[in-house]
Amino acid sequence: MEKKQSDLCRAILGRFHKAGILDDIILIGSWCVYFYKDYFTGTPYIDQATIKTRDLDFLIDQPSKISRAVNIPELLNDLGFIVDYKGSQGYIKLDHPELIVEFLVPEKGRGTDKPFPIPKLGINATALRFLNFLSVNTIQVKVDDFRLTVPHPANFALHKLIIFQRRTSKEKAAKDRNVAIEVLKALIDKDEAILIKKVFDGIPRPWQAKIIMGLKKAGQKEVLALLG
Amino acid sequence: MGVIKGVLKEELGNSRRMLKRYRQEIAKIKGVLVRKKIGNKYYYYIAKRQGRRVKFIYQGAASPAIKKSYLARKKQLHQYKKLLLQVKGQIKFLGKALRGKETI
């Protein structure tokens, strides 16, 4: 299943690249951990240690700047993806037994529970808080013959430490917390502790407090000492 | 409930949702292309069973384009049926895994 899943994931990314929309998109969520293998070359990093779900989440940081019109449901149709509408508001999900593709945008202002329409791509997206934190510091990893944008692992991990405390599901919260700790440890092993501190120092104080609280909950004294 | 069981439970819900959606899509696409001769001309219809009756949905005068689009539909139907089987397998597997009493 793992091989099939990663092959399908690469096929999707390949199609986005060919259609010219991959540069407008940032891959976020648990699948980042799989693509961080490239970044952590030479340091002990086991992406298998973290649980990857079928959710393949894409962040569209600036929907208004999308220049090409590409109908994503049509683009993925022959791979077997079908469109499903989540909840009463009708958030679009693209379903396949191996992967579930969803799109997210950063929430602005007071926020809304309605989907954010992106007609150029034939989809709508869920607006969520704190996503700017993932798009301000990104890296590019090589996938096949193209490059994929993902959040910097430090931002990814610290973001997970903020959001795990907002989760209503205990299991999801524990999963987010575990993946954050794994990635932070891998960064420390890669001698990038200073970078974690730099990212941490650059974020608003209320967010910093949330991260500290998250680390305390997780009992991570080593990382706490680093940020203190 | 442990982290893994929590994830499996969510995935089971996802698979059940997919099962419903694939069945709906298959029902939409199902049907056989038939050719009828009316007067001196041939016309294509999609023959679809609806309960006890077979409904003939008019497609247009016989043309290679209609046949091509029908073949594409047939290919998609085959693909969806295959994926439906996969989803059924996942539901069975996840159901079994969740019946275990260990906290994982």
Side-chain angles (χ1 to χ4, degrees), chain A residues 154-216:
Chain A
N155 291 61
F156 173 84
L158 294 178
H159 175 259
K160 286 277 180 204
L161 283 176
I162 298 172
I163 60 157
F164 96 83
Q165 299 167 78
R166 293 166 65 97
R167 293 276 196 201
T168 47
S169 154
K170 264 188 193 175
E171 294 80 30
K172 273 194 175 182
K175 188 173 125 330
D176 281 346
R177 189 193 60 210
N178 294 348
V179 71
I181 304 295
E182 286 297 327
V183 173
L184 285 177
K185 281 182 178 168
L187 280 168
I188 294 169
D189 286 341
K190 203 180 177 244
D191 287 331
E192 290 196 350
I194 298 166
L195 218 139
I196 302 173
K197 175 83 173 117
K198 204 177 154 191
V199 172
F200 178 78
D201 288 342
I203 59 178
R205 279 197 183 276
W207 294 18
Q208 285 183 354
K210 274 186 195 293
I211 290 168
I212 296 289
M213 208 201 299
L215 285 167
K216 277 183 184 166

Side-chain angles (χ1 to χ4, degrees), chain A residues 90-201:
Chain A
Y91 292 101
I92 285 181
K93 269 186 177 200
L94 297 172
D95 281 343
H96 186 283
E98 299 291 345
L99 289 171
I100 300 165
V101 179
E102 267 186 276
F103 297 89
L104 304 161
V105 289
E107 192 175 78
K108 282 173 187 161
R110 283 187 175 183
T112 170
D113 60 346
K114 284 184 183 152
F116 184 94
I118 308 174
K120 269 193 175 169
L121 301 180
I123 51 158
N124 65 38
T126 311
L128 288 180
R129 286 237 171 269
F130 304 114
L131 291 181
N132 291 333
F133 183 48
L134 294 174
S135 57
V136 287
N137 187 16
T138 57
I139 56 167
Q140 289 209 319
V141 290
K142 197 173 182 308
V143 184
D144 302 331
D145 60 339
F146 53 87
R147 300 194 80 81
L148 168 71
T149 309
V150 286
H152 187 283
N155 291 61
F156 173 84
L158 294 178
H159 175 259
K160 286 277 180 204
L161 283 176
I162 298 172
I163 60 157
F164 96 83
Q165 299 167 78
R166 293 166 65 97
R167 293 276 196 201
T168 47
S169 154
K170 264 188 193 175
E171 294 80 30
K172 273 194 175 182
K175 188 173 125 330
D176 281 346
R177 189 193 60 210
N178 294 348
V179 71
I181 304 295
E182 286 297 327
V183 173
L184 285 177
K185 281 182 178 168
L187 280 168
I188 294 169
D189 286 341
K190 203 180 177 244
D191 287 331
E192 290 196 350
I194 298 166
L195 218 139
I196 302 173
K197 175 83 173 117
K198 204 177 154 191
V199 172
F200 178 78
D201 288 342

Side-chain angles (χ1 to χ4, degrees), chain B residues 6-104:
Chain B
V7 172
L8 294 181
K9 202 176 167 190
E10 195 192 332
E11 294 294 5
L12 180 62
N14 285 334
S15 290
R16 283 186 176 145
R17 196 192 67 239
M18 273 183 217
L19 182 81
K20 202 174 146 190
R21 282 291 294 121
Y22 274 113
R23 278 183 174 154
Q24 284 172 348
E25 288 299 313
I26 287 169
K28 258 196 247 169
I29 305 173
K30 251 184 174 176
V32 180
L33 190 71
V34 289
R35 200 175 66 163
K36 286 186 181 188
K37 192 181 178 189
I38 297 166
N40 284 331
K41 283 186 177 176
Y42 287 99
Y43 299 92
Y44 278 135
Y45 291 81
I46 290 281
K48 216 172 187 175
R49 177 164 289 283
Q50 287 185 341
R52 292 182 65 182
R53 298 186 64 183
V54 176
K55 200 173 172 187
F56 290 90
I57 304 156
Y58 179 69
Q59 299 295 299
S63 76
I66 292 178
K67 204 161 185 182
K68 201 179 161 191
S69 98
Y70 168 71
L71 288 175
R73 270 175 71 154
K74 211 174 153 186
K75 200 176 154 192
Q76 195 167 45
L77 179 68
H78 181 70
Q79 186 187 34
Y80 284 172
K81 279 184 175 176
K82 219 171 130 186
L83 293 173
L84 182 78
L85 272 180
Q86 196 182 338
V87 175
K88 280 182 180 173
Q90 283 174 351
I91 292 172
K92 207 173 162 186
F93 173 81
L94 291 167
K96 271 188 192 172
L98 282 166
R99 271 198 291 276
K101 283 180 183 153
E102 301 88 354
T103 309
I104 46 167

